[in-house]
Amino acid sequence: MLLAKEKIKVGTDGIYDARKLGTGRMVILGFQHMFAMFGATVTVPLLTGLDISTTLLMAGLGTLLFHVFTKFKVPAFLGSSFAFLGGYATIAPMLDDGSANKEMLPYACLGVACAGILYLILALVIKLIGINKVMKLFPPVVTGPIIIAIGLSLAPSAISNCQANWGLALIALALVIIFNIFGKGMVKIVPILLGIIGAYAVAAIVGNGFGVESFAIDFSGVKEVSWIGFPIEWSSTVFGGVHDSSKAVTAIIATVPIALATMMEHIGDISAIGATCGKNYINDPGLDRSLAGDGCATILASLFGGPANTTYGENTGVLALSKVYDPKVVRIAAYFAIIFSFCPKFAAVIESIPTAVVGGISFVLYGMISSIGVRNVVEAKVDFSKARNAIIAAIILVCALGLGDGISFSIGQFDITLSALAIAAIAGIVLNAIFPGKDYKFENTDSAETAVAEEAK
């Protein structure tokens, strides 16, 4: 039986051996990962006018491509990147009636595809000069606070979603906590999925069954769409929608610089995943491979009308909660995303999940990301009694959390926006490089620490 009570936990740390979970449990875990990424992934096409089904398909294919590049070792899911929203808004702003700018979206996608090439260039540089030299720029005193900031910067989004209906949000949050803390066996390792299903059921019963309007779910979108549909429209791709070379050059110049920020976020995300799983993924399979995988996934998605891909913090939070780190589980989520991209009705069902439920789930997931950052600096033994370390961490956190929408500036006729997180990462890297007292050493070990610092000496 799927929920049989045979012992599946191994080790004193509570980590589960996926080989003992069985196919049924692995499928359920994969479904949970797909749910975790879905809300944020479909938000990007909603904000830009890109197609949701195309986005799902490219998230699944991009994740599988990333796993190929990383030798099937890194349990990362690649969903829609929010970092390029400014690029889409500049090149293909939504029309006055709120509809998508179908004419300009392929040009914006071309710019994002070219931005993905920068990932490949950095990956090549790392391959040529070695990871040790590159990682001197990214010690735990930099990556740890960045990971913390990633989670904290997402917190307002969780609160905003919760405010749609605090009662429903707290139900979702409570279910996740109860299942994770007090659950046994399979229940304990799929708290996110059970929390979503439970809160959704409560909303349907109370809102649609008993007529409490604030809990009601709008099923109109589910009824209107078909069961099967092809997820790619040729005219929306770079191949079928780009005809003006001048517009193409403009889009490329305006969008490519954004990759400088997203590459830094990538390093922070890989560090967070490594800290969660107790593996040094920056060393094995290597940062060059993960960057190349992320870059190729972004290029693939953009060429066919999807948004840029990026490693997802939501799924890192699921890893931390479930303690199942087998990359196969994430690949199962990718298979689900691909399958359901051909089913518009499923996408409509997921979109019908109340915003407050998404908020309640995010409430704990985003906090888990920050907790991982704290763990990163603790295990790396970063010495905050040293002024240089304290100042670097302070500047990173204040920039990431205080600059809001980031900083915008113009170069010639092009407007460029750096996100607050990108500015924080740049500030941390520069300050660490120029401040005296550096004694960090990156060690090629596969330990629980994603990097080893000697700063405590």
Side-chain angles (χ1 to χ4, degrees), residues 76-419:
F77 192 97
L78 272 62
S80 305
S81 172
F82 284 79
F84 286 92
L85 287 178
Y88 288 109
T90 300
I91 304 303
M94 300 288 277
L95 302 179
D96 292 337
D97 62 357
S99 61
N101 191 335
K102 295 290 187 180
E103 178 187 355
M104 293 304 299
L105 273 175
Y107 293 95
C109 288
L110 174 63
V112 174
C114 291
I117 296 175
L118 286 188
Y119 282 77
L120 305 184
I121 294 174
L122 179 58
L124 179 61
V125 170
I126 293 173
K127 186 69 173 178
L128 293 176
I129 70 175
I131 186 64
N132 287 2
K133 293 182 179 179
V134 174
M135 285 309 297
K136 288 181 179 179
L137 299 173
F138 308 101
V141 71
V142 173
T143 57
I146 289 175
I147 296 170
I148 294 172
I150 289 173
L152 294 180
S153 64
L154 292 170
S157 173
I159 297 298
S160 176
N161 289 334
C162 288
Q163 288 173 340
N165 187 325
W166 272 106
L168 193 54
L170 291 176
I171 289 173
L173 175 60
L175 289 174
V176 171
I177 294 173
I178 291 170
F179 289 134
N180 188 247
I181 299 297
F182 303 105
K184 302 294 183 181
M186 192 62 186
V187 170
K188 186 177 181 66
I189 58 179
V190 288
I192 303 300
L193 180 59
L194 294 177
I196 291 173
I197 293 174
Y200 191 89
V202 169
I205 293 171
V206 176
N208 298 76
F210 292 93
V212 180
E213 187 175 346
S214 60
F215 279 70
I217 298 175
D218 183 7
F219 291 108
S220 60
V222 179
K223 299 175 182 178
E224 294 171 358
V225 298
S226 60
W227 280 99
I228 299 176
F230 191 70
I232 297 177
E233 183 179 343
W234 184 253
S235 62
S236 297
T237 68
V238 169
F239 307 106
V242 173
H243 309 288
D244 188 319
S245 58
S246 176
K247 291 179 180 178
V249 172
T250 299
I252 293 171
I253 295 175
T255 308
V256 165
I258 299 174
L260 298 175
T262 57
M263 286 188 294
M264 295 176 192
E265 293 178 11
H266 172 92
I267 294 172
D269 286 338
I270 295 299
S271 297
I273 296 170
T276 301
C277 302
K279 299 276 187 165
N280 191 337
Y281 294 127
I282 287 178
N283 177 55
D284 181 24
L287 184 60
D288 57 325
R289 284 182 169 274
S290 67
L291 277 167
D294 200 342
C296 286
T298 290
I299 294 171
L300 174 67
S302 300
L303 289 178
F304 287 94
N309 281 343
T310 186
T311 47
Y312 252 37
E314 288 86 344
N315 295 89
T316 304
V318 172
L319 292 172
L321 278 175
S322 69
K323 294 186 182 297
V324 177
Y325 307 143
D326 193 331
K328 290 181 182 177
V329 173
V330 179
R331 291 198 290 275
I332 290 173
Y335 298 141
F336 275 126
I338 293 171
I339 292 170
F340 288 120
S341 71
F342 290 86
C343 180
K345 193 171 287 292
F346 173 79
V349 170
I350 300 301
E351 287 183 72
S352 72
I353 295 175
T355 301
V357 173
V358 177
I361 300 300
S362 302
F363 202 100
V364 64
L365 287 184
Y366 295 161
M368 291 296 295
I369 297 170
S370 293
S371 298
I372 291 166
V374 173
R375 171 184 167 183
N376 185 254
V377 297
V378 170
E379 291 187 344
K381 299 177 182 178
V382 177
D383 185 1
F384 283 109
S385 68
K386 288 187 174 183
R388 73 176 307 277
N389 293 339
I391 291 174
I392 291 172
I395 296 298
I396 290 174
L397 292 173
V398 171
C399 286
L401 303 178
L403 290 178
D405 295 329
I407 295 178
S408 298
F409 55 93
S410 299
I411 298 179
Q413 60 178 325
F414 304 107
D415 296 324
I416 298 175
T417 299
L418 288 179
S419 68

